[in-house]
């Protein structure tokens, strides 16, 4: 039983809450039994698991992976986990390699800053079968908070994070960029059904998609009607609606 | 300039971060220039405003409302606001009265627990013109976090929080309850277009909509197809898709 968060292995794991350390080590933290199962099911490499108790499911995963199951006190768990009153387990997991870009329907996270939004878009992409591409300006998609909001989507559809998804790059890769913009004249239903793979670009929460991206030739702009008169939708909600419409139109 | 968070007015305002105190006093905290404008535009009663600087927009609102504008230090602002590095202003505002239930399209928050989800559903309802109804088991919809995620929706469509939205109550009020459920056979497009006012029930993040609600005669169940095979969507995303489909079908 590890009782101090100054324990070497706990201290090393705890550092993975920092973006820079995650990128250096190529590891992240995965919290909770559901996400641990998802990581194991996706054959992600699991290095060690910290748990309050040795429950059967966690013990089985550790045995299959040949990794240590380390029991810790609730206080140590609190230092490792990003949730409040964490029940664990918390696992140190290799960040999966970025998969190759395929010419199929994708959602592009353009400088998405909120961990909850980023994770929720990845979750929806997993549910609706979309490839995920992200700009370097996004929140770190492999942060524990984003992984938690992703509810397994990270392992079902690992995001492509090593590509600069400029419209020219997307078009050259066989994807037609689509952007939802306030005040665009083409309604969503007309645009999202086009019979080629699309890249739905979802813009930053405060600044949207940059004008130079929207104005690039070959980028299709559409609007989601908002009779309530509000200025905008939450980024993850807009992404969810656009992905749903696309999925149903194809 | 108020320099201590032990100042009487600051201490009283700070207590409004607690649900119990908000309910006792009938007041809440509204953060940031955009939400303050929305509250003022909706004729919500503004009691006092704490700000780092006396900018023109805040000064105008205080003058129109006849309320004090109190300058505070960044440290005091940090004690009042729920965001990180808050720029203010933070206003003490009366929680608007619950509007009467109308027989028009509504979204029902059924024990929604996450402040971000609750606020985002209220935001989407404001954008798409839906009435908002909430169970008593929801997170407090007038908490500063929920208001922030609502981005003004609270003032454009104040939630109805004093009604127990049991299916029987909804039906008696002229609303047809709809529930999105995994594995339901009726596809969304068929169900959401029915030519009567509907109440889209969005369930708790972990437990969904209770079985006894789903099974009540007169409740229509539909499914959102998920070819990716994931078990569920985020509650705010599911609500957004369902409201969008309904809005476009009516």
């Amino acid at each position: 039983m590890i009782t101090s968060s100054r324990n070497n292995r706990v201290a090393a794991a705890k550092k993975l809450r920092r973006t820079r350390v995650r990128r250096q080590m190529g590891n992240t933290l995965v919290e909770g039994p559901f996400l641990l199962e998802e990581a194991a099911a996706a054959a992600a490499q699991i290095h060690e698991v910290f748990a309050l108790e040795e429950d059967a499911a966690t013990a089985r995963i550790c045995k299959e992976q040949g990794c240590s199951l380390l029991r810790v006190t609730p206080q140590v768990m609190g230092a490792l986990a990003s949730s409040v009153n964490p029940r664990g387990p918390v696992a140190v997991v290799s960040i999966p390699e970025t998969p190759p870009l395929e010419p199929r329907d994708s959602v592009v996270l353009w400088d998405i800053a909120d961990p909850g939004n980023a994770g929720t878009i990845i979750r929806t992409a997993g549910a609706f079968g979309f490839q995920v591409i992200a700009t370097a300006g996004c929140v770190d998609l492999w942060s524990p908070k984003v992984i938690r909001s992703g509810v397994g989507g990270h392992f079902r559809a690992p995001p492509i994070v090593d590509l600069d998804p400029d419209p020219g790059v997307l078009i050259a890769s066989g994807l037609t960029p689509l952007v939802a913009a306030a005040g665009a004249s083409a309604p969503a239903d007309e645009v999202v059904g086009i019979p080629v793979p699309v890249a739905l670009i979802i813009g930053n929460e405060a600044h949207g998609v940059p004008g130079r991206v929207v104005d690039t030739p070959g980028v299709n702009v559409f609007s989601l009607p908002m009779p309530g008169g509000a200025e905008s939708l939450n980024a993850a909600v807009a992404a969810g609606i656009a992905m749903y419409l696309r999925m149903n139109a194809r």
Side-chain angles (χ1 to χ4, degrees), chain A residues 120-132 150 152-154 156-157 243:
Chain A
T120 300
I121 297 172
I122 292 172
R123 177 181 183 179
T124 311
F128 290 166
F130 280 67
Q131 180 170 249
V132 178
H154 284 74
R156 285 191 293 270
M243 283 191 265

Side-chain angles (χ1 to χ4, degrees), chain A residues 181-195:
Chain A
S185 55
D189 294 338
E190 278 177 27
V191 174
V192 297
I194 57 174

Side-chain angles (χ1 to χ4, degrees), chain A residues 39-230:
Chain A
Q45 203 185 337
I46 300 170
H47 299 283
E48 54 192 0
V49 179
F50 301 91
L52 295 174
E53 292 176 10
E54 266 189 49
D55 65 288
T58 307
R60 178 183 49 74
I61 287 172
C62 290
K63 200 179 161 197
E64 284 168 7
Q65 296 269 337
C67 75
S68 333
L69 199 173
L70 304 159
R71 284 191 59 198
V72 300
T73 59
Q75 200 201 343
V76 171
M77 185 58 76
L80 282 170
S82 66
S83 56
V84 188
N85 299 320
R87 289 179 300 173
V90 168
V92 175
V93 174
S94 282
I95 295 174
E97 274 184 50
T98 284
L101 183 73
E102 295 170 9
R104 64 185 178 88
D105 282 351
S106 308
V107 61
V108 177
L109 284 70
W110 198 285
D111 295 0
I112 293 291
D114 180 82
N117 283 341
T120 300
I121 297 172
I122 292 172
R123 177 181 183 179
T124 311
F128 290 166
F130 280 67
Q131 180 170 249
V132 178
I133 308 169
T135 59
C138 284
V139 59
D140 180 30
L141 298 189
W142 288 99
S143 86
K145 268 194 187 174
V146 178
I147 295 174
R148 219 172 55 217
S149 296
V151 194
H154 284 74
F155 300 105
R156 285 191 293 270
I160 295 174
V161 292
D162 61 354
L163 179 91
D164 171 16
D166 226 56
V169 173
L170 297 171
I171 292 167
S173 306
L175 301 176
T176 297
L178 303 185
V179 178
S185 55
D189 294 338
E190 278 177 27
V191 174
V192 297
I194 57 174
V196 288
V198 301
L200 283 164
I201 304 179
I202 307 300
N204 171 271
E205 291 86 347
H207 309 295
V209 178
R212 65 167 184 83
V213 171
V214 176
D215 295 339
T216 303
V219 173
N220 289 259
V221 181
F222 66 95
S223 74
L224 296 173
M226 278 178 265

